[in-house]
Amino acid sequence: MEDIKLDPKNFRIHNDRNKNVIRKSLEDCGAGRSVLMDKENYLIAGNGVYEQAKALGIPVRVIETNGKELVVVKRTDLSLEDERRKLLALADNHASDTSEFDMDLVIDNFSEEVLKDWEFSLDDIDLSDELPASTTKPNNVAERFIIPPFSILDAKQGRWQDRKRAWLSLGIKSEEGRDKEITFSRSAQNPAIYEVRNRMREKLGYDPSWDEITEYCKKHDIPMLDGTSVFDPVLCELAYRWFNVPAGVILDPFAGGSVRGIVAAKLGMLYRGVDLRPEQIKANYENAAKMQPPFTENDCPVWKCGDSREIDQHYAGLKADMIFSCPPYADLEVYSGDPRDLSNMEYEEFLNAYRTIIQKSCSLLKENRFAVFVIGEVRGKNGAYYNFVGDTINAFLEAGLHYYNEMILATQIGSLAMRVTNQFNHSRKIGKTHQNVLVFFKGDLKQIPSLYPELDFREEDLIGEDI
């Protein structure tokens, strides 16, 4: 084993998640695939497997071939229905999915024509990015910007999930402060609830409303309403790093949980939020107080309790460097029983209040600054979309901002895989696995290059305790 050497030009990046998958597979299921090396004992394929096998002390047997025969590894201890065999097949595919290509090496070693001949996806490689003459190493877009700044942000990827776990390990508890009796998600119930809906539909002859389903579940002691969605700290970090100025002030008119405030403070930015529910404000401050090292009075996030339609009064005189928020998706998630709560309003009333909040928030935004809203389409009672995305864009345009970027956040599938069959067969409604990240700019677009510095995070340790 000591004679075997890792490939110095390995095109795959084996992150911690990938290494853990490979190690668990070797520990629980034993060795499966063979690895491949050249005549000088440099590995060609299987670098990750070899590293973990070496760490576990698994012995190696070398079989020589000139490439004119296929070497098959036969596991004499496994048969078709063995549980370990099934796990080994799963792990073999999962290990490939959790690693990623080192785009630096790929671009450095192959021409665009060669990559196209091999049907290698060029979507993840920015081949048009010209580097300064003094730069000898190609630009690794993922490392430079944390996540590639493309129109699709894939939150399912291992790199994203590793970073999300690092943020949450700091002790962020954004879900706290939510009243389980009145706060719920109409789009992310456990699968049993959708079975209830199907049975009710068959019995009633029509599609029951969520109020009817809620009442039925309460009457029959069926657990539901697992709580509202929790904001993704990685998306929050990206928005702040990409679209805020260093140490800039962030205004959040729909504050909700603690995550957006805590991430801002950890990045050295000042956060100012508004939320209607006092219990949520209390929970946010309690969560912030548990952060280590402790926030000071000057850098602690600020949450004010009140109606966001009066945000210009709550933060009178504030000059924000960025607006960042995730508003209620009309009545998709109900946050409180307060009649002032937008999630309790009919859509037209909701939209009027929503426009007012955006207008007043933008009045507090400095010139030549960005605003970012994370939203998603919402269906009305008749099953058709409201066009919430379009209404949000129009609200910002009416406030005098430019519509500048749109990104699609591809989210985890979760229980949707169990729900989508009945949903699609019954109504032809697709399973929705994305949100819209809308970016607006107030001021002169030509000022962006001079006001926003070039970003490069390759030399910084931004994970875990050093975030």
Side-chain angles (χ1 to χ4, degrees), residues 225-237:
L225 317 181
D226 292 331
T228 56
S229 55
V230 175
F231 199 83
D232 192 316
V234 180
L235 178 60
C236 187
E237 178 190 6

Side-chain angles (χ1 to χ4, degrees), residues 22 24 29 43 136 141 150 153 174 235 243 247-248 311 355:
I22 295 173
K24 183 171 178 58
C29 306
L43 287 170
T136 57
V141 177
F150 301 151
L153 302 175
S174 186
L235 178 60
F243 301 112
I311 194 169
R355 290 194 191 103

Side-chain angles (χ1 to χ4, degrees), residues 202-237:
E202 292 176 3
K203 185 175 181 179
L204 297 172
Y206 63 86
D207 202 6
S209 69
W210 279 105
D211 290 338
E212 290 176 302
I213 296 171
T214 301
E215 188 61 31
Y216 180 92
C217 290
K218 287 181 178 179
K219 183 177 180 180
H220 294 83
D221 295 322
I222 299 174
M224 67 175 301
L225 317 181
D226 292 331
T228 56
S229 55
V230 175
F231 199 83
D232 192 316
V234 180
L235 178 60
C236 187
E237 178 190 6

Side-chain angles (χ1 to χ4, degrees), residues 146-280:
I146 303 174
I147 298 295
F150 301 151
S151 59
I152 302 296
L153 302 175
D154 191 353
K156 304 185 300 299
Q157 289 187 350
R159 185 182 184 87
W160 188 295
Q161 290 299 312
D162 288 342
R163 198 167 193 84
K164 183 176 181 178
R165 281 189 288 271
W167 273 110
L168 295 179
S169 70
L170 300 181
I172 298 175
K173 301 291 184 182
S174 186
E175 72 278 7
E176 292 184 354
R178 308 218 175 164
D179 189 337
K180 298 301 182 183
E181 292 301 317
I182 56 179
T183 303
F184 60 91
S185 169
R186 294 178 174 175
S187 62
Q189 295 294 333
N190 67 70
I193 301 306
Y194 296 91
E195 292 302 319
V196 169
R197 186 178 64 176
N198 293 337
R199 292 199 300 270
M200 291 181 67
R201 181 190 296 130
E202 292 176 3
K203 185 175 181 179
L204 297 172
Y206 63 86
D207 202 6
S209 69
W210 279 105
D211 290 338
E212 290 176 302
I213 296 171
T214 301
E215 188 61 31
Y216 180 92
C217 290
K218 287 181 178 179
K219 183 177 180 180
H220 294 83
D221 295 322
I222 299 174
M224 67 175 301
L225 317 181
D226 292 331
T228 56
S229 55
V230 175
F231 199 83
D232 192 316
V234 180
L235 178 60
C236 187
E237 178 190 6
L238 296 179
Y240 292 166
R241 291 191 183 278
W242 292 355
F243 301 112
N244 196 13
V245 295
V249 178
I250 299 157
L251 179 63
D252 186 348
F254 303 103
S258 62
V259 62
R260 294 197 289 276
I262 290 177
V263 171
K266 284 289 184 180
L267 296 178
M269 301 175 183
L270 299 179
Y271 174 91
R272 303 292 182 261
V274 177
D275 193 85
L276 190 62
R277 300 174 57 244
E279 59 269 36
Q280 183 68 73

Side-chain angles (χ1 to χ4, degrees), residues 129 139-147 149 237-246 269 370 449 451-460 462:
D129 189 10
N139 185 9
N140 188 318
V141 177
E143 290 183 4
R144 181 170 184 173
F145 300 108
I146 303 174
I147 298 295
E237 178 190 6
L238 296 179
Y240 292 166
R241 291 191 183 278
W242 292 355
F243 301 112
N244 196 13
V245 295
M269 301 175 183
F370 284 103
L451 294 173
Y452 290 85
E454 290 191 6
L455 301 177
D456 193 339
F457 301 114
R458 283 177 290 187
E459 303 302 321
E460 296 184 37
L462 304 173

Side-chain angles (χ1 to χ4, degrees), residues 255-466:
S258 62
V259 62
R260 294 197 289 276
I262 290 177
V263 171
K266 284 289 184 180
L267 296 178
M269 301 175 183
L270 299 179
Y271 174 91
R272 303 292 182 261
V274 177
D275 193 85
L276 190 62
R277 300 174 57 244
E279 59 269 36
Q280 183 68 73
I281 300 296
K282 179 175 181 289
N284 288 355
Y285 276 115
E286 289 175 349
N287 191 193
K290 296 176 182 177
M291 292 295 105
Q292 295 297 328
F295 294 132
T296 67
E297 183 177 347
N298 292 329
D299 63 15
C300 185
V302 175
W303 292 278
K304 290 193 176 183
C305 185
D307 191 333
S308 293
R309 285 173 288 189
E310 300 169 353
I311 194 169
D312 55 337
Q313 298 176 37
H314 295 307
Y315 288 111
L318 179 72
K319 294 297 182 182
D321 292 292
M322 180 187 187
I323 294 173
F324 182 62
S325 200
C326 181
Y329 293 6
D331 60 352
L332 181 66
E333 291 186 341
V334 178
Y335 295 94
S336 78
D338 192 323
R340 297 174 298 167
D341 193 325
L342 270 65
S343 63
N344 286 315
M345 299 178 182
E346 294 295 326
Y347 189 69
E348 285 305 316
E349 183 185 6
F350 163 88
L351 196 55
N352 287 333
Y354 186 55
R355 290 194 191 103
T356 297
I357 294 168
I358 289 176
Q359 182 77 39
K360 291 186 175 182
S361 297
C362 290
S363 72
L364 300 175
L365 184 65
K366 293 178 183 177
E367 287 294 312
N368 301 320
R369 294 293 189 266
F370 284 103
V372 181
F373 261 38
V374 182
I375 65 171
E377 280 296 354
V378 187
R379 295 188 185 277
K381 294 179 180 179
N382 65 354
Y385 279 145
Y386 285 128
N387 189 30
F388 184 42
V389 173
D391 288 335
T392 299
I393 294 170
N394 287 334
F396 275 97
L397 293 177
E398 291 169 5
L401 275 68
H402 302 282
Y403 181 29
Y404 196 65
N405 288 319
E406 181 186 31
M407 294 171 285
I408 301 300
L409 176 68
T411 54
Q412 298 278 25
I413 295 175
S415 64
L416 181 61
M418 305 176 69
R419 296 186 269 118
V420 72
T421 299
N422 287 332
Q423 172 182 308
F424 189 74
N425 278 334
H426 175 72
S427 63
R428 289 302 188 269
K429 294 177 182 176
I430 62 169
K432 188 168 177 291
T433 62
H434 77 277
Q435 291 175 291
N436 302 70
V437 184
L438 306 179
V439 182
F440 305 90
F441 189 78
K442 179 181 181 180
D444 182 0
L445 296 172
K446 295 179 180 178
Q447 298 298 315
I448 294 176
S450 62
L451 294 173
Y452 290 85
E454 290 191 6
L455 301 177
D456 193 339
F457 301 114
R458 283 177 290 187
E459 303 302 321
E460 296 184 37
D461 182 5
L462 304 173
I463 297 296
E465 296 179 357
D466 293 321

